[in-house]
Amino acid sequence: MKAIVSGATKGIGKAITLALAGKGYDLGLGARNLEELNFLRKEIQALYPDIEVITKSVDFSQKHETRNFAETFLHHWGDIDILVNNVGVYEEDNLDNLNENDLMKMFNVNFFSAMRLTQPFLPEFKKRKSGHIINICSVLSKKVRKKAVSYSLSKQALYGYTKILRNELRNYDVKVTAILPGSTNTASWDGLDAPVDEFVQPEDVANGVLMAIQSNGLVEEFEIKPINPKH
Ligand SMILES: NC(=O)c1ccc[n+]([C@@H]2O[C@H](COP(=O)([O-])OP(=O)(O)OC[C@H]3O[C@@H](n4cnc5c(N)ncnc54)[C@H](OP(=O)(O)O)[C@@H]3O)[C@@H](O)[C@H]2O)c1
């Protein structure tokens, strides 16, 4: 069993990566910081020496790097079982200072990375008639935060793409799940005054991912939020 995770070295991506490692998946992992990738690979191999862990430094905001990343694993493994489109960045703006360049930067990481990573695997998923794509969306995929307009738009695009994928791929027995976390205690909140202890923990999201993967049914989506959100 083989899985790819984008943005694997921190936060939600790392928690999902460790959860998949615990289930015996060989792993293809991407993020920019090579040192952190190497550290993660060693951490996983110390815990689970039998699984294959391939790490690759990649900037998912870049079209060709993202396509190359996908091609690497397509050539190495031929096909995969799980694709987790997790990478994403959060930045704030509003309607008054909405700027096309900043919006494109946000779209490149939060939306196009998922599309560019997924598209090359579609023929294999369809041919095999199995597999599971997990897209890490956001509660802002369904509503708007006034002070995070570009982020909301990018996550709504990802959510829309997820529904289009699901609609098509269920005819090939391939599952597609949208995960919509609320505030989650990760590095995304570093430097911000936020009650992170009350947030959802990355492991909670990872447990949900395992539940979706192990279910006999199709978990189309789930939202996971702090119980009593103040942020
Ligand atoms: N945290 C929340 O409250 C929250 C809520 C809802 C949804 N989400 C979503 O959950 C996902 C993960 O968020 P997180 O908070 O866990 O993030 P995080 O802790 O900031 O970790 C981000 C990960 O992505 C990598 N990354 C960032 N930009 C990249 C790029 N351009 N190219 C390659 N790798 C990149 C980082 O490594 P490098 O820096 O080394 O590249 C790191 O491994 C995102 O899609 C986010 O929108 C988060």
Side-chain angles (χ1 to χ4, degrees):
M1 297 183 303
K2 301 169 281 281
I4 289 177
V5 183
S6 70
T9 52
K10 294 189 199 112
I12 293 171
K14 181 171 182 182
I16 294 171
T17 296
L18 291 174
L20 291 172
K23 293 292 170 194
Y25 283 87
D26 292 330
L27 295 165
L29 308 174
R32 288 166 301 184
N33 188 309
L34 191 59
E35 240 174 75
E36 288 177 359
L37 281 166
N38 288 337
F39 185 83
L40 178 61
R41 191 181 62 243
K42 286 177 191 156
E43 188 182 344
I44 297 168
Q45 284 173 334
L47 287 167
Y48 311 104
D50 293 337
I51 65 177
E52 184 179 18
V53 185
I54 303 171
T55 51
K56 198 166 154 55
S57 173
V58 50
D59 184 347
F60 286 114
S61 70
Q62 302 299 312
K63 180 177 178 176
H64 294 296
E65 286 194 36
T66 306
R67 285 290 173 117
N68 282 344
F69 179 85
E71 298 292 334
T72 299
F73 291 101
L74 207 49
H75 289 138
H76 181 67
W77 281 332
D79 52 32
I80 57 169
D81 300 278
I82 311 271
L83 172 60
V84 185
N85 288 307
N86 164 74
V87 70
V89 286
Y90 178 80
E91 269 162 38
E92 298 191 337
D93 58 1
N94 59 51
L95 196 55
D96 292 332
N97 66 15
L98 184 61
N99 165 298
E100 204 175 310
N101 285 340
D102 293 343
L103 180 66
M104 267 315 288
K105 280 188 200 159
M106 188 76 78
F107 259 74
N108 269 319
V109 184
N110 292 6
F111 171 66
F112 284 114
S113 72
M115 197 192 88
R116 291 167 184 154
L117 205 44
T118 302
Q119 293 295 128
F121 287 102
L122 289 183
E124 285 303 323
F125 275 132
K126 286 181 171 183
K127 202 162 89 188
R128 271 183 54 189
K129 291 188 177 291
S130 69
H132 200 148
I133 299 169
I134 309 265
N135 288 345
I136 308 300
C137 300
S138 164
V139 289
L140 298 183
S141 293
K142 285 187 168 181
K143 63 178 189 183
V144 170
R145 182 177 290 165
K146 275 176 76 171
K147 60 177 187 178
V149 171
S150 293
Y151 181 82
S152 302
L153 284 169
S154 67
K155 287 295 181 179
Q156 286 169 24
L158 180 61
Y159 182 64
Y161 176 61
T162 308
K163 289 196 283 188
I164 288 166
L165 281 174
R166 185 186 307 118
N167 193 40
E168 166 90 3
L169 293 181
R170 65 189 315 157
N171 300 316
Y172 297 86
D173 294 335
V174 177
K175 296 179 181 180
V176 181
T177 301
I179 296 179
L180 291 78
S183 300
T184 305
N185 182 8
T186 72
S188 293
W189 295 92
D190 283 356
L192 297 172
D193 180 24
V196 290
D197 292 341
E198 295 166 24
F199 284 1
V200 174
Q201 300 303 311
E203 294 72 22
D204 299 324
V205 181
N207 285 337
V209 169
L210 285 188
M211 180 271 290
I213 288 170
Q214 290 167 349
S215 171
N216 287 324
L218 168 58
V219 178
E220 295 196 358
E221 63 179 61
F222 67 83
E223 294 188 32
I224 177 165
K225 303 176 190 173
I227 298 173
N228 184 11
K230 297 182 189 73
H231 206 84

